[in-house]
Amino acid sequence: MLRLKDSPCENIFVFGSCGGYSQVTYGDLVIIDTAYNLESFSDMLNFKKQVKYYRSSADLLYFFHKKNIYEQLTLTNSACVSSLYLEPKFLDWFSKREIYAIDMESSIILSASNSIKRKAICLMYVSDIVAPNTAMFLQEEKSIKQKVSNSRKNLTEMILRFCNEQ
């Protein structure tokens, strides 16, 4: 990522999956506004209260969202975590910060893009749920996989369409 500093790259799009929490479910599409850095296992284990965060590029976020206004995109915050085991202990913390996406890349990418002075946004589809209802997943596993697959395809098309129009 940092090698892009000396390249003509202007915009960085993070495309990937994330875990969902609270207001989102399997297959939902999310666009990240603020990414909280919970990458340190030790900080998570000690439940550190002061957490750094990074913002998506306001311009890129606005224009991407505007171009896809009729799509089912949820604007939310994310937490970039280091421990799947410790995630459930942070559910109240996530709720207070309106964090509905849990991932392993968002704050890393946004902090690096900020460092090299590039615009970046994180676009994700929900592929799993934090503290899931296991019974629901087992009953609907096939339809959930189809929802996630369709979401991945839709998000890919949105990104390509946006880039082609720029």
Side-chain angles (χ1 to χ4, degrees), residues 59-96:
D59 292 350
L60 202 52
L61 187 73
Y62 171 79
F63 289 117
F64 187 87
H65 198 259
K66 185 177 175 183
K67 287 277 186 185
N68 294 289
I69 196 75
Y70 299 107
E71 300 291 341
Q72 296 276 334
L73 271 172
T74 300
L75 181 63
T76 188
N77 298 322
S78 68
C80 191
V81 301
S82 62
S83 173
L84 298 176
Y85 178 77
L86 292 172
E87 278 179 4
K89 296 182 185 298
F90 281 79
L91 298 183
D92 288 340
W93 194 88
F94 294 158
S95 291
K96 289 176 186 171

Side-chain angles (χ1 to χ4, degrees), residues 26-29 125-127 137 140-154:
Y26 299 101
D28 284 355
L29 301 177
Y125 55 92
V126 177
S127 62
F137 178 79
E140 300 180 23
E141 182 178 8
K142 193 171 187 177
S143 67
I144 289 171
K145 285 182 180 180
Q146 189 60 50
K147 284 179 187 176
V148 171
S149 178
N150 289 342
S151 296
R152 183 174 43 242
K153 181 181 175 192
N154 291 342

Side-chain angles (χ1 to χ4, degrees), residues 17-61:
S17 64
C18 67
Y21 174 66
S22 186
Q23 303 294 318
V24 297
T25 191
Y26 299 101
D28 284 355
L29 301 177
V30 296
I31 184 168
I32 306 303
D33 179 25
T34 302
Y36 289 87
N37 175 346
L38 291 172
E39 298 161 35
S40 167
F41 178 80
S42 297
D43 285 348
M44 280 187 82
L45 189 60
N46 294 315
F47 209 81
K48 183 179 174 185
K49 299 284 186 187
Q50 298 295 347
V51 175
K52 290 183 181 180
Y53 61 88
Y54 304 93
R55 305 286 310 260
S56 287
S57 161
D59 292 350
L60 202 52
L61 187 73

